[in-house]
Amino acid sequence: MFRKVLFPTDFSEGSYRAAKRFEKTNEVPVGEVILLHVIDEGTMEDLMNGYSLLYESEELELEAVKKKLEEKVMERLQTKVEDVKKTFKTERVKPVVRFGFPWEEIVKVAEEEDVSLIILPTHGKLGFSKELLGSTAMRVIKKTFRPVLLIKPKCRCGGDEE
């Protein structure tokens, strides 16, 4: 049994396909799924880029933007909970939103939640990359002590091409 699985999602087609591939091939019960989305800190900084439009300070505006983003992302994760329950054949799904660099937060959450498995697609939103593995997946593999299952979003699986 997988006691606790960490499934980070960037809401990409690659994440969706990884979950579906896991559903097709997994025969082991899953106790709980941690459904994680990381709001990239670097992207936040790029968005703000020195602008303070509504508040007297950039820090106040950044906090307000972060809070609103966290609410919206949590709403989006909540819409995925029932699908995740079905896909992973579990009744326990814990949606989690974090700010930071995706690979760092994935590793942190894996440790904090004491997961028994991390499931990652080999490529997410930047799937057009020429690298063999996406940079997030590669960094997670290098930095975590937890087992990682990498799933190619597109491959032949049991004779079926997806």
Side-chain angles (χ1 to χ4, degrees), residues 119-131:
I119 297 176
L120 286 174
T122 54
H123 293 86
K125 286 200 184 223
L126 301 176
F128 55 82
S129 171
K130 294 178 183 171
E131 297 175 31

Side-chain angles (χ1 to χ4, degrees), residues 6 34 36 98 105-114:
L6 174 58
I34 307 301
L36 172 68
R98 290 289 185 94
E105 294 305 315
I106 292 167
V107 171
K108 284 180 192 174
V109 170
E111 288 303 314
E112 291 167 8
E113 293 287 343
D114 190 28

Side-chain angles (χ1 to χ4, degrees), residues 8 15 18 22 33 37 40 63 90 102 116 127 133 143 147 150 152:
S15 290
F22 182 80
V33 174
H37 179 79
D40 194 321
E63 285 307 310
T90 185
S116 51
L133 290 176
K143 298 295 183 179
L150 291 176
K152 288 179 70 171

